């Protein structure tokens, strides 16, 4: 403890056997002192020989032991002094270097006297003119650290450039002559002001982020409530739609059965009428057959038989315009329209077939030989972004020029395939598939007629390129876009993968050549569109 020289040293009253302060101290003829119990136990262990534990002096007879009252009183004073010092000095306080008995906490340290003073012992430095010139600072234990090791002068100055403490002689040296020098007090005041400002800025930052946490939590709560509301509403509406379709189907079946029964009755009546006419016709046929047999008799009798009016004429109608109507007018067309509407609109909400489409995922890599010189392709050929400057590349026929496009290495000419691309943190991009023979130079028109089946985003708005451009329905800016191609159905569809929502679908396409996936990270848009397009693998 600093300032302990003003206290009686407790080591002077320590027992050499237990090393603690004396407890009932006793003295023996050789003038050494011990605790009564410690010495008694020591001699008990020695059995026959009785000697001093320190000087080893031997006694023929064991000396009589009695408590040394003087030493006992001194021990009590040391213990009381320690207790008093402990009560006066708080943790972290610097003790006064002048106090002799009860040690008080120092209020100042003097860099000239190299001593710390309590309020009482500081009075001479306040009252005496010669002492008022001394440099007083806040109390510190290690006063030597406040003295310049070169000039042995108090470190009262601060170099703002080198961030070091200086004495009056240091500031005139070549190392600091041109630097901004201030007093330690001025620097402390500046630092306190800076810290006060930083504390305020930090407080504001904390409050701002705490408010943001609250907003995010409120938004999450609102999102959960909205999701529950949407789910409830969706279930209600979809259930109503399904119920309506089921009731419509029941009605349709009933109408169909009723029409079938009506048609069956009409058919039965027509068949009955026809069968009646068949009977009459058969009767005429029999008469005609009989008349034919008369041709073998003489001519006079033949004419007599045939002219007698014995051959009846059947009463029949003209059946050439008669048709049995079995069709329900427009029913097939209406049902097909319903099917097409459901299959077109429901995927916009959430396509139940996307998981099956994802089973046709393919592993794609970019083809640097097709990349526009303004583009950069990663070493693994999975990422593409707009470079800071154009690459010096040969303008080969397969390379795009003037448009920020690049094709995949892999092409497809049959079946189905699917791939996904991350478009996060981008404001512009274009994705899709193209014919192998597309124009790759200059002004390019994105349209199925020109061999492009693509979608693009510009400033948060997604559009399909072609006749289906007005069919894009976008609920949010997607993070990942899926592309699915079905050669047999002539279909190219685009999806917001995370919510499995269809963005746009080209149908009725005719693919006459090999298709290649195409990627365009778009222009840099004033530094807002520098993130890469990333091909993500599902396998």
């Amino acid at each position: 403890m600093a300032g302990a020289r003003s206290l009686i040293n407790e080591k002077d009253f320590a027992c050499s056997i237990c090393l603690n302060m004396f407890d009932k101290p006793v003295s023996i003829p050789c003038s050494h002192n011990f605790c009564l119990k410690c010495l008694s136990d020591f001699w008990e262990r020695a059995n026959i020989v009785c000697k001093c534990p320190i000087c080893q002096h031997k006694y023929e007879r064991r000396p009589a032991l009695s408590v040394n009252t003087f030493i006992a009183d001194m021990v009590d004073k040391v213990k009381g002094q320690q207790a008093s010092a402990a009560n006066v000095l708080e943790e972290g306080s610097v003790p006064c270097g002048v106090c002799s008995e009860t040690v008080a906490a120092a209020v100042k340290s003097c860099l000239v006297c190299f001593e710390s003073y309590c309020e009482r012992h500081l009075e001479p430095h306040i009252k005496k003119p010669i002492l008022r010139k001394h440099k007083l600072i806040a109390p510190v234990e290690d006063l030597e650290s406040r003295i310049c090791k070169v000039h042995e002068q108090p470190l009262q100055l601060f170099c703002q450039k080198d961030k070091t403490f200086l004495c009056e002689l240091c500031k005139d040296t070549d190392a600091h002559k041109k630097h901004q020098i201030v007093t330690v007090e001025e620097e402390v005041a500046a630092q306190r002001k800076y810290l006060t400002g930083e504390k305020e800025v930090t407080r504001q930052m904390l409050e701002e982020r705490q408010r943001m946490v609250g907003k995010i939590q409120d938004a999450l709560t609102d999102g959960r409530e909205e999701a529950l509301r949407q789910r409830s509403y969706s279930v209600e509406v979809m259930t109503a739609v399904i119920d309506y379709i089921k009731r419509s189907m029941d009605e349709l079946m009933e109408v169909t059965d009723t029409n079938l029964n009506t048609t069956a009755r009409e058919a039965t009546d027509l068949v009955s009428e026809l069968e009646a006419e068949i009977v009459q016709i058969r009767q005429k046929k029999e008469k005609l057959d009989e008349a034919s047999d008369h041709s073998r008799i003489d001519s006079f009798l033949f004419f007599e038989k045939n002219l007698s009016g014995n051959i009846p004429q059947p009463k029949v109608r003209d059946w050439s315009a008669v048709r049995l109507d079995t069709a329900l007018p427009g029913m097939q067309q209406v049902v097909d329209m319903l099917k097409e509407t459901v299959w077109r609109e429901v995927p916009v909400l959430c396509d139940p077939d996307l998981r099956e489409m994802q089973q046709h995922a393919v592993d794609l890599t970019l083809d640097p030989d097709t990349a526009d010189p303004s583009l950069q392709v990663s070493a693994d050929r999975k990422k593409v972004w707009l470079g800071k400057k154009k690459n010096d590349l040969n303008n080969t026929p397969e390379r795009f020029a003037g448009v920020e496009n690049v094709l995949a290495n892999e092409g497809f000419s049959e079946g189905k395939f699917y791939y996904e691309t991350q478009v996060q943190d981008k404001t512009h991009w274009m994705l899709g598939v193209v014919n192998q023979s597309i124009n790759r130079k200059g002004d390019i028109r994105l349209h199925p007629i020109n061999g492009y089946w693509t979608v693009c985003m510009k400033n948060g708005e997604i559009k399909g390129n072609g006749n289906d451009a007005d069919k894009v329905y976008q609920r949010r800016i997607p993070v990942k876009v899926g592309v699915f191609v079905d050669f047999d159905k002539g279909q190219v569809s685009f999806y917001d993968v995370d919510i499995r929502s269809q963005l746009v679908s080209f149908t009725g396409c005719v693919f006459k050549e090999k298709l290649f996936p195409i990627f365009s990270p778009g222009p840099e848009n004033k530094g807002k569109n520098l993130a890469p397009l990333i091909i993500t693998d599902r396998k």
Side-chain angles (χ1 to χ4, degrees):
M1 181 186 297
R5 60 186 179 277
S6 62
L7 296 173
I8 300 174
N9 196 334
E10 66 179 68
K11 293 182 179 180
D12 295 334
F13 299 93
C15 173
S16 301
I17 298 176
C18 67
L19 302 180
N20 296 322
M21 290 187 69
F22 291 125
D23 180 26
K24 297 180 181 180
V26 295
S27 301
I28 57 178
C30 61
S31 300
H32 292 119
N33 306 304
F34 307 92
C35 295
L36 176 60
K37 187 176 187 307
C38 293
L39 184 59
S40 298
D41 291 343
F42 178 83
W43 281 345
E44 286 294 329
R45 289 193 297 270
N47 294 327
I48 302 171
V49 179
C50 184
K51 60 183 178 180
C52 175
I54 297 176
C55 66
Q56 302 298 311
H57 179 77
K58 295 180 181 180
Y59 298 98
E60 296 180 358
R61 300 176 64 181
R62 180 179 295 191
L65 300 178
S66 60
V67 175
N68 188 323
T69 57
F70 175 79
I71 297 177
D73 291 340
M74 293 300 294
V75 170
D76 290 339
K77 286 184 180 180
V78 171
K79 290 181 178 179
Q81 200 173 46
Q82 289 179 335
S84 177
N87 292 331
V88 173
L89 297 178
E90 297 180 357
E91 184 177 356
S93 298
V94 176
C96 174
V98 182
C99 292
S100 59
E101 295 183 359
T102 301
V103 180
V107 295
K108 290 290 182 178
S109 293
C110 178
L111 293 178
V112 178
C113 301
F114 282 93
E115 191 60 271
S116 298
Y117 301 102
C118 65
E119 191 171 354
R120 181 167 64 91
H121 292 118
L122 185 65
E123 288 183 7
H125 279 76
I126 298 175
K127 295 179 178 180
K128 294 182 178 182
I130 192 170
L131 295 179
R132 281 204 297 264
K133 298 179 181 181
H134 290 189
K135 180 64 177 178
L136 299 177
I137 62 173
V140 293
E141 292 189 18
D142 187 11
L143 282 168
E144 291 183 1
S145 65
R146 305 306 175 96
I147 300 300
C148 177
K149 293 181 173 56
V150 177
H151 304 109
E152 296 183 352
Q153 296 290 319
L155 296 173
Q156 304 180 58
L157 305 175
F158 184 80
C159 176
Q160 293 183 331
K161 182 177 181 181
D162 295 336
K163 306 298 181 185
T164 57
F165 293 100
L166 308 175
C167 69
E168 286 290 343
L169 297 178
C170 288
K171 73 174 184 178
D172 297 325
T173 61
D174 293 339
H176 301 284
K177 187 175 291 185
K178 296 182 180 181
H179 295 177
Q180 183 67 31
I181 308 297
V182 296
T183 65
V184 172
E185 287 79 5
E186 289 174 336
E187 181 63 21
V188 169
Q191 288 295 325
R192 283 177 177 166
K193 183 178 180 180
Y194 168 77
L195 291 176
T196 301
E198 284 296 295
K199 285 174 64 177
E200 178 61 22
V201 171
T202 303
R203 184 189 64 79
Q204 293 176 0
M205 290 174 64
L206 284 173
E207 289 181 355
E208 180 182 349
R209 279 149 183 79
Q210 287 170 348
R211 286 194 299 268
M212 184 59 66
V213 168
K215 288 182 180 180
I216 293 173
Q217 290 174 339
D218 291 343
L220 178 59
T221 300
D222 294 342
R224 284 173 177 157
E225 293 175 354
E226 178 64 15
L228 290 174
R229 190 187 70 80
Q230 289 287 354
R231 181 172 181 173
S232 176
Y233 178 76
S234 299
V235 170
E236 180 182 349
V237 172
M238 296 294 279
T239 300
V241 170
I242 293 171
D243 179 66
Y244 183 78
I245 291 176
K246 285 183 177 179
R247 288 189 290 111
S248 299
M249 184 176 66
D250 293 340
E251 291 291 328
L252 183 59
M253 295 302 100
E254 183 178 342
V255 170
T256 302
D257 292 343
T258 300
N259 287 337
L260 178 60
N261 292 335
T262 300
T263 302
R265 286 194 299 272
E266 292 178 359
T268 299
D269 293 342
L270 291 174
V271 169
S272 298
E273 186 178 350
L274 284 168
E275 288 178 344
E277 290 186 1
I278 288 172
V279 170
Q280 296 181 54
I281 294 172
R282 283 177 177 169
Q283 290 176 351
K284 180 179 179 180
K285 182 177 182 298
E286 290 176 356
K287 292 295 183 181
L288 290 174
D289 290 341
E290 182 180 348
S292 296
D293 291 341
H294 292 163
S295 62
R296 293 190 295 270
I297 61 177
D298 62 280
S299 298
F300 183 81
L301 184 59
F302 171 77
F303 279 105
E304 185 180 56
K305 294 286 184 182
N306 289 328
L307 293 176
S308 62
N310 291 331
I311 301 176
Q313 293 298 321
K315 295 180 179 181
V316 297
R317 63 170 170 167
D318 183 5
W319 291 88
S320 61
V322 177
R323 295 288 185 275
L324 182 63
D325 188 3
T326 61
L328 292 176
M331 180 180 291
Q332 186 69 43
Q333 181 182 1
V334 172
V335 172
D336 287 344
M337 288 175 60
L338 175 62
K339 174 184 174 182
E340 180 182 346
T341 300
V342 171
W343 284 2
R344 182 182 67 249
E345 301 299 336
V346 169
V348 174
L349 294 174
C350 188
D351 195 336
D353 296 327
L354 179 58
R355 294 187 189 278
E356 192 280 328
M357 296 177 189
Q358 290 174 331
Q359 301 302 312
H360 299 280
V362 293
D363 185 16
L364 296 182
T365 54
L366 300 171
D367 183 3
D369 293 336
T370 66
D372 181 87
S374 64
L375 300 181
Q376 296 290 332
V377 177
S378 63
D380 62 358
R381 300 186 180 183
K382 293 289 185 179
K383 302 177 184 178
V384 59
W385 64 94
L386 191 67
K388 294 183 179 179
K389 62 180 181 179
K390 288 190 176 183
N391 300 308
D392 186 13
L393 301 171
N394 294 329
N395 188 15
T396 57
E398 63 268 18
R399 186 180 301 283
F400 285 96
V403 284
E404 302 96 351
N405 295 344
V406 61
L407 298 183
N409 266 310
E410 297 75 20
F412 305 88
S413 55
E414 61 181 358
K416 305 173 183 178
F417 69 92
Y418 174 88
Y419 69 92
E420 293 178 355
T421 306
Q422 180 177 308
V423 295
Q424 189 173 16
D425 299 327
K426 296 194 64 62
T427 61
H428 294 64
W429 50 261
M430 184 269 288
L431 296 169
V433 292
V434 297
N435 284 335
Q436 187 174 15
S437 63
I438 57 167
N439 174 33
R440 307 188 186 192
K441 313 292 182 183
D443 186 20
I444 297 176
R445 302 295 178 179
L446 304 179
H447 196 283
I449 293 177
N450 300 324
Y452 285 81
W453 292 269
T454 57
V455 295
C456 64
M457 185 176 81
K458 182 178 181 181
N459 293 325
E461 183 179 0
I462 296 178
K463 291 185 178 180
N465 304 125
N467 296 330
D468 292 331
D470 59 338
K471 295 184 180 181
V472 174
Y473 179 77
Q474 178 187 351
R475 282 182 283 173
R476 60 165 212 163
I477 296 177
V479 173
K480 190 182 294 184
V481 174
V483 182
F484 175 72
V485 178
D486 188 332
F487 275 84
D488 295 336
K489 289 186 177 180
Q491 173 187 352
V492 181
S493 299
F494 299 83
Y495 291 88
D496 182 335
V497 175
D498 292 333
I499 60 174
R500 299 197 291 277
S501 172
Q502 187 183 94
L503 297 172
V504 66
S505 184
F506 296 91
T507 57
C509 307
V510 179
F511 306 122
K512 296 182 179 180
E513 56 183 281
K514 204 170 191 178
L515 297 182
F516 285 82
I518 188 172
F519 306 85
S520 174
E524 57 94 16
N525 190 23
K526 298 180 180 179
K528 299 178 182 179
N529 191 43
L530 300 179
L533 288 176
I534 304 174
I535 300 173
T536 57
D537 297 329
R538 294 194 60 86
K539 290 190 173 181

